[in-house]
Amino acid sequence: TVATPALWVIHDHDTVIFLFGTSHLLPEGLRWFDGPVKAAFDTADTLVLETVMPDDPAAIAPLIRQLGLNPPDRRLTDQLPPKVLTQLETVAGQVGLPMAALDTMRPWLAGTTIAVTSLTQLGFDPRHGAEEVLKTQARAAGKTIMGLETPGQQFGFFASLPPAEETALLAATLNDFGKLRQESGALIDDWARGDVEKVGERLNESMSTTPLLARVLIDDRNARWAEWIAARLAK
């Protein structure tokens, strides 16, 4: 399948920036690194990602322990309302995640772990995701690679949420689990067609129950990234 994802160009007299909305997990066989995206990549001297994750997953283990795990005397199951706990036990069984492992996690990490595990089981793989492909291609071409944020900052966005919002994130993940297969496939289809309006609608709807998270993950970061773009154009 040949995809035509959205691509924007921002330029002044001496700088050209291509703005590409990526998907972190993609199915194998989707041809998106082609056409205008490949042409833009070939003309660029620098690849700028949200963050440059280390190749060795063990390198982020200290961050996970610091920002994603409960203290030894605290368990996830003690922090959740009965309804959310029941949902968690059901969903954990469906995706094959042991409750003992989830119990060591803070709500934000449990929610993201369930979501990523579910998507991976559906065939959406970070190894085929846009960032990994672009990073591999950039290294092969000798391009500079840089990140707008550090992994610690990204984990910190979740870890800094108030407890109620963090629990709401987990609850939203569990509530949406039943429609994950249909919704994730539709979202990737919209992305592959470059239908930015549909992609925006779906993402906004998915974050409607966690407004603070939406502000932290989308609004505030967009503002910072816009400032980065303006500064880069000024060079």
Side-chain angles (χ1 to χ4, degrees):
T1 304
V2 178
T4 55
L7 183 73
W8 292 262
V9 61
I10 306 164
H11 65 89
D12 61 11
H13 66 285
D14 64 352
T15 306
V16 179
I17 296 174
F18 296 99
L19 189 61
F20 179 43
T22 60
S23 179
H24 301 322
L25 296 92
L26 289 170
E28 187 175 9
L30 181 65
R31 286 179 51 199
W32 60 267
F33 189 59
D34 209 337
V37 173
K38 178 67 162 58
F41 176 86
D42 288 343
T43 65
D45 55 23
T46 303
L47 171 66
V48 184
L49 302 172
E50 285 184 34
T51 189
V52 182
M53 296 298 288
D55 294 326
D56 182 3
I60 62 170
L63 280 175
I64 294 291
R65 286 195 295 270
Q66 178 189 354
L67 299 173
L69 298 185
N70 288 310
D73 60 345
R74 187 168 170 81
R75 300 186 303 172
L76 175 64
T77 48
D78 295 333
Q79 304 172 50
L80 303 178
K83 179 184 176 183
V84 178
L85 178 56
T86 300
Q87 284 181 301
L88 177 64
E89 291 170 341
T90 301
V91 170
Q94 290 176 330
V95 297
L97 287 170
M99 281 297 296
L102 291 170
D103 218 10
T104 66
M105 300 179 186
R106 286 180 51 172
W108 77 261
L109 182 59
T112 53
T113 299
I114 287 168
V116 171
T117 302
S118 305
L119 290 169
T120 302
Q121 292 173 350
L122 293 173
F124 300 99
D125 195 321
R127 292 174 301 176
H128 306 309
E131 284 82 4
E132 284 303 307
V133 173
L134 290 170
K135 189 166 65 171
T136 299
Q137 294 288 338
R139 282 178 175 163
K143 298 180 188 291
T144 300
I145 303 173
M146 60 181 293
L148 295 169
E149 300 162 346
T150 66
Q153 285 174 311
Q154 292 212 326
F155 289 137
F157 295 143
F158 295 99
S160 63
L161 292 172
E165 188 82 3
E166 199 179 337
T167 300
L169 167 62
L170 174 57
T173 302
L174 298 172
N175 284 331
D176 293 343
F177 180 79
K179 59 182 182 181
L180 185 66
R181 183 182 299 269
Q182 176 185 349
E183 288 292 318
S184 56
L187 178 62
I188 296 303
D189 288 344
D190 294 337
W191 177 85
R193 286 196 306 273
D195 190 341
V196 294
E197 292 300 324
K198 268 292 185 187
V199 170
E201 286 176 18
R202 293 184 192 279
L203 291 178
N204 287 337
E205 182 184 358
S206 72
M207 306 200 81
S208 60
T209 59
T210 52
L212 178 58
L213 182 64
R215 192 189 81 201
V216 169
L217 286 189
I218 299 176
D219 301 344
D220 292 351
R221 295 167 85 208
N222 279 349
R224 287 195 298 272
W225 295 353
E227 291 174 0
W228 185 93
I229 289 171
R232 187 73 172 197
L233 285 173
K235 291 189 175 182

